[in-house]
Every structure is written in structure tokens, then in C-alpha cells.
Amino acid sequence: MNAPAKIAELMPQTVAFTLDGRAIEAFEGETIFKAAERHGVEIPHLCYTDGLRPDGNCRACVVEVEGERTLAPSCCRSVSAGMKVQATSERALKSQKMVVEMLLSDMPDEGYKWIGDDATRPHGELSEWAARLGIAVRPELKALRREQPAADVSHPAMAVNLDACIQCNRCVRACREEQVNDVIGYAMRGEHSKIVFDLDDPMGDSTCVACGECVQACPTGALMPKSHIGSQQVDRKVDSVCPFCGVGCLLTYNVKDETIVSVDGRDGPANHGRLCVKGRFGFDYAHHPQRLTKPLIRKPGVPKHFDEAPRPGDWSEAFREASWEEALAFTAGKLKGLRDTHGKKALAGFGSAKGSNEEAYLFQKLVRTGFGSNNVDHCTRLCHASSVAALLEGVGSGAVSNQVNDVEHADLIFIIGSNPTANHPVAATWMKNAAKRGAKIVLADPRRTDISKHAWRTLQFKADTDVAMLNALIHAVIDEGLVDQEFIRTRASNFEALRENVKGYSPEAMAPICGVPAETLREVARAFASAKGAMVLWGMGVSQHVHGTDNARCLIALVSVTGQIGKSGSGLHPLRGQNNVQGASDAGLIPMMFPNYQRVDNAAAHAWFEDFWGQPLDAAPGYTVVEIMHKALAPDDDPHKVRGMYIMGENPAMSDPDLNHARHALASLEHLVVQDIFMTETAWLADVVLPASAWPEKTGTVSNTDRMVQLGQRALNPPGDAMPDLWIIQQIAQRMGLDWNYEGEESGVAAVYEEMRQAMHAAISGISWERLQRESSVTYPCLDADDPGQPIVFIDSFPTADGRVKLVPADIIPAAERPDADYPFVLITGRQLEHWHTGSMTRRASVLDALEPMATASMNQDDLQALGLVPGDVITVRSRRGEVAIHVRRDDGTPSGAVFVPFAYYEAAANLMTNAALDPFGKIPEFKYCAVQIRRGGEPMAAAGYGTGATGDNARLSWTAST
């Protein structure tokens, strides 16, 4: 078939019909409503909105179809060839107006929500359509109003005003079909019918996860953010990107009186309007009274007590305010002095995955050209370094092969070491949507998490036995003749070594080790291999082990032997934890790689960057996060002892393993500069603290887990004397002798981006600054201005030396520390839905803090009973490195012999206990496994003083979370 014929075959078929006497065309299967909308004809509608399944229950969109006795709802009636439709006939208009008038008559006199700035439209879209149709409610209809239900304001974030509910069911569809949270339902009959939460519970007592999708869907204000009670007018709307996890949801900030009052989801390629509780309600941290507003210098003689709790509200005990000139001169002067006295290895920098690509690029450039070494790293070392090491080795690229929402085309979705409903909630909605359409979800995790409710099979394997279980799956595929022989023959290398290695890993031999029945392992292997498309998504439960690289090697081997890569609905996807951990890594914020993963010890890459930056560069890889901490405590005669550090937007005093050791290292530095928006636990140990800009206060790009470069626009100005991070980096660079001049607020960002684009030409050469301003989001690889980007890669070959995927055998390596008689439990750490990273932002967001105000440890009921505990008791969890006292909650998804502790709470910092043992390849610490003991009682530490102090009705804490 020739090219034009192929194109014609792929084009959607059209059907001709008549609308209001005008001959137009619709796509085959398209509704009357959508066809009319495409041709500029607007039909009244209330229960319909883009993104939700058309329901046809409000009847505001009815049209007249020639030859039919009844009017048809245009939102769910498909066009047929030759159909003659009247949307504005007398009969259709009369019915449309009657529906709107009857609904409007039942509205309360006082409205809740309106569109734009027109206060004459108090009931949102209903008032909008009433005005457009010229409807005024007749007094006799108002007399027929129902008895109005009381408002429900039990939820910290949202108000329920059912007196404004028109029962359009948008909220039901948003909750049950889009987000698949199954909280909102429709109950009762006749005049008693209403929207309910769970079993008609108050919203604040229900299982609502506060994604706010119902609020965004509601057309009248019956469900609304509490921040919009009263006037809903805003001064401006600013488009940006969510500053939390790596999903990269596009959003819009609603700004009033220079304050963000609410957030709406935008129709971005990663989220299509969806948000989670953090993205929608976690915005007011930017306005918290503890924002840093002036540069601070440590007072002379004030020691750094690394074992004391920070007091962010009492910073003046340890610091004094300074001018920017004094602070910058002191910062750069001390860093230069250490470099020139002790050598270039004496300095190190931690950049941020919470900032922009431009900031990450400029920060690593400063360390390499100004400090003179490659001692630069960021949080990727603590999350997916092992995944990236295995991916670079096996497939030649550290990025994902397929985007998250490609699960729509998968028959089987294999989720391992990830709790997506808590850590990547919007990504989880695509998985749940796929399951509702018939895809099989397989959850493999030591913990049975919320996504297991949607799983076909749950492989609850014993912690630390990932390689045993995954090798068993590979063995089953080979043993049962399910290998994709064509893929192995043409696109893979080292298969024979892999096959020989897994001979001893039969499901029958591994079942006692991993705790999953052999037949279940074989059943899953068969389903994975026979699926039209099978996709693997994993989180830090895979990567944060001493065998994390081996875990990822096994996942690469599994998709390769089954041919499940390089096509739609398949592939490898390590879910990124922070909003820009992908982009920061791409930009070179890692010690062994220049931008775009070009090794610093590669002679050609080294020469190119020396020429590009016009500075001599170190040819040896730098130290990683954990190694830098060790070097900070090295003896004075060590020529590579780290004596000074510049930390931008990272909080290693909370995020590093074995925190007592890490905090001791930070406190021992001769000069520590911290650039942040709050007095974090790390800033409390600094010599200089530089007040920076929060995400809503900057313009810049970030790259999400899907390889989408996305543009965020500045919505606010930084408070007080706080300054943009990009400006601060440049000021330090200039004072260290670098001739940098990226002028202008937005033009300077654009200039840095365009320089970075040259350094990363193999990935983003087709994504110009102007294109981002126009399109907001572009997927890479994107090689020219006409390239739409490549959402699926490795279709024909891999970017390896021979174009093939390299299969690397892996054997069982036990955890560095295993339970014993003294420490019989396993500690598993991770995130919660409401909190993120080290809590410095989310615990200062009023709604998030109100929803989850207290640190808790999760254990199953059997272990609680064995220890004589009940939910709510205080326990002390202790490892060989540290201990915390913490309240316990019941979670039957946590396996026997394990305790789960989130790491966002200073007063119960999980990383006081975690092990700093490293994966030898990825140099990532073993956060996910160490031995602990548990005893009743203890004295919980008071919060560090930076929370919002939610109490009473605004504090919601469930002691039981059974799955």
C-alpha cells in the first residue's frame, strides 16, 4: 500500500448530516454535541463536561431529530449519516429553557460560584446558561423550592452545599470513573435523592482522598474549595506545573490579592485536568509565615548542635540578618578560600530536583567550572540511581520507554515496589481506568497497598527477595517456551548467559524464599508473556536496596525475553518521585555525568564541554551524596576531605540515611551555604542561609517522569528580600570569578534554557523556548521544530553500542542488615499521600497538615496483638543507628514482621534508623530495608515547630487503615 493510501486508511471516517439547516460532517461515532461544538455551535449543557463520560441526565442539551417523536440528548447521541438535527428549533429551545429555569428556581438566593468576574451569575454554569438563554425565574416557581439541606463543612479543604446541587452526577462520575476513588454516590429516591459520601457520612469522615476532582467538575458550587467561600473572583490566572511528584500535572493558579486562593487542573498531556490532594490543595506553603525573607548569617560563637531539633520560628537565636551584598561576599569568599587553600576536591554541591531545569543546569555548571570538581549530586542518588545505572547499562538510556498513560493500551500492568495511589496519584488513575476497561494489574510488593483492590493478582513477596521472585518469572517464561525468539535473535544480547543463570531459579525453588506460590508465579509469567502489551512500572521499593541495580536488571530482562518493549502498552517505567528529578538528572546534576548522561571521564565529552564552557574541567567522577557525607568527616590529612558545601533546595539532614551521621557531617563542615525557602533541618546547621523562591514564584521548565519538558510561569513575587534561585546562583558564580551574565527575569531563564538545549541537543534540540511558551509541554526525544516528540522509544533499536538491549544476569544478594533476635522486625520507609519528600513544604500547607498532622508507624493486626498494642499506642522503633517514638496505626497490608514509617516528620525521622549501605553500582543507600526492634511506650518528640498546628475539627487522623 502506498503512503497516501496508508494515511487515508488511518484518517477517521466521516459522516454527513444537517445541523440547523447547515450541511456539516461528523467523525464516525461522534456525538451530535461534539460535532456541533467543532463547527462553532454551542448547545446548552450542564451534566456534560469534557473528560467525563456523557450521561444525558440533565436534558439541557436536547435537540430535535427529524422523524423522531422525542427530543434526543445531544451529549450521548451519536450522529448517523443523513441525520437532520435542529438544536435551535422552537421545540428544542423551549425544552432547553424549561430545564434551565426549573433547575435555577431551586437554587438558593445566595450563590456560591460564578464564571469569570460577573457577580450577576452566582450559580456558575447554571447562571451562565440562564443568562445566555434569557431566562428569569418566575416567582411562582421559587415557591416550590425543596427544603434546603444544611451545609457540610467537615472537610478541611472542601465545603458541601447540596442546596446548590442540580444532581447532574458530574461529581459521581469524576470520583468513580475518572479518579476511581468510589467515595461519592447517588442515594435515595424521588425528592429525597441526593449526593452522598460513602454511607451518607459527612465528607470529612468519609474515605475521600481530597483529590478535588468533584470540586472541579461541579457546575454550581455545590462542591467547592473552602478558600472560595464568599467571593470567588480572582485577579488573575497563571498557568504552571505541579511542584510535587514526577507525574508533572499541568495546573492553573488562581491569584487574588497576591495570594494563591485555589488551583485548577489543566488539560496537560500527563494529567488531562486531573490533580491529587497535594496539587490541588497543597499550595499555601508559599504564603507560610516561616518563609525566609532575608539573608541570614550564623552568629559568632553559636555552635551547630546537630542532635538538637531546629527551631524555625526562633532562627534569631542562631542567626542574624544580613544584606545580600554581605551574605554573597561571605558565601563566595569562604568557598573560594577553601578551594584555593585545600584544593578543588574540598568543595561540593547538592542541587535540587524541586527547582527548574535551568537552575539544575546552572548549579552543576557552577560546581564544575567554579568549584573545579564533579562533586555535585542531588536526590536522584536517593531514589532511582540504581534504576538509571541498570537502564544505561542495559538499554542505553536512563529515561522511561513509555509514558504512564500508555497503560491504556496494555493488557497487563506490572507494578512493583511502588504505591502509586499515594506517591503518584494521578498516574494511578490511569492504571485504575485501565483495570476498569479489562487490563490485568499485577501488584508485586511486600506491602499490600491500595492499588491491590484493583489488581488481578497481588504478589506479596517477602521483603528483600525481589531478585528471587523476578528470576523465577524469567525462568518460567523460558521454561514454558514463551520467549519472544524473534526479539531475542534480532534485538538482544547475552541471552544465553541469562538463560544459564536462571536455571536454578525455578518458581518451585523460589517460592519458599520469596513467599509467593509457584503456580501463581507461573500464572503471572504466562500472562505477562502472552499479553499483547505488558508494561512494568516501579518505584523506590525496587531501587532503594543494595541490590537495587540487580532488581532493575531483572525487570529489563523480563520485558526483553517476552518482547514487551518498543511498542504501545509495554516497556519500562521507573516512576520519578520529585517534580524535576528526571530533568535535574538530564541537566547533569550528577557526579559522573555531564548534561544528557555524557560521562565526565569520556575524553570526547570532556573536551566538548571544556570548549563549550570555556573552562578546564575535572576528568574524574565526583563523590555522591552519601560519599560526600563520609568525606566531610574524613581526617584533616585526607586530600579529598570535603570542607565546604553549597546546598540548594535539598534537605539532607532529613533525607539522608543514618541521619545522626549525616547531620554530624553537615555540622562539621567549615562552611555550609544553604539556599531554601524555609529554615529546614539542613539550614539550621548552615553558616549562611540564602532566601530563595518557591515554585509559584519562578518561571522555568521541568521534565516529568514521561520525558515531557514543561513550562511553568511565575504567579507571585518572592516575599521580602527573597530572590529567584537563578539570580542567586549567578551572583555566587560571579563572585567566584566566572563571567556569567544571563540578563533579565524571563529572558535570563530563556538564555539559560537555550544554552542547556545546546548541551542536550541529542534530546531536546527541537524544543525551543518559544515552542514551550506556545505549547507548554513537549515530549523528548524531539530533534527538530516539526518533531512532535517520541512518547514511545526503542521501537526499532536501543541507543547502545550495538543497538541491542544487553541482558545482565543477577543473583541473590541479601540485604546488608537482616533481622535477628535483638532486632527482629524489618523497617520499610516511604511516602504518604498527603506529605512529600521531607515535609518542608507539605507540612506547611494547611490542608495537608490538617489531613495528616501526626507521624505514625503502620503495623498489621497480628503483630499489634502479639505485642499487646492497640492502634493509637506509642511505640519506640529502634535500629542500631537511632530510634524514634511514634504512634502506631493498624494497616493489615503491612506484612507480619515489618513496620512502615513515613520519612516526612522531623519528630519521628525514619532516616535516623535507616542503613547507609550502598548499592555498588548505583551508589544508592538501602532505605527500604533494615533491622529494628519495637517496644511499647516512649516519649514522642514535639513537632519541629513548623507545622500549621491543626487541631480539633480540622485534624483528621484515622488509626486504622486496613486494606
Side-chain angles (χ1 to χ4, degrees), residues 60 69 109 322 411 454 512 558 585 618 700:
R69 181 177 59 84
D109 293 327
D411 292 337
H454 307 273
L558 178 63
S585 301
D618 187 1

Side-chain angles (χ1 to χ4, degrees), residues 349 364 367-368 373-378 380-381 588-594 598-601 618-625 627-628 922-923:
Q364 61 86 35
V367 173
R368 290 188 159 107
S373 77
N374 292 308
N375 289 345
V376 61
D377 210 346
H378 76 296
T380 193
R381 191 64 44 212
L589 206 59
I590 40 182
M592 62 287 296
M593 303 283 186
F594 291 128
Q598 301 172 76
R599 288 197 61 88
V600 299
D601 52 7
D618 187 1
Y623 294 118
T624 64
V625 166
E627 292 170 331
I628 287 170
K923 302 293 182 71

Side-chain angles (χ1 to χ4, degrees), residues 108 153 169 188 304 328 360 416 432 479 490 539 595 659 695 710 845 853 913 943 946:
V153 291
N169 276 357
M188 315 301 178
K304 302 176 182 179
L328 290 168
I416 179 168
K432 292 185 284 186
D479 181 56
T490 61
L659 280 182
W695 178 252
Q710 305 194 117
M913 301 176 286
Y946 55 72

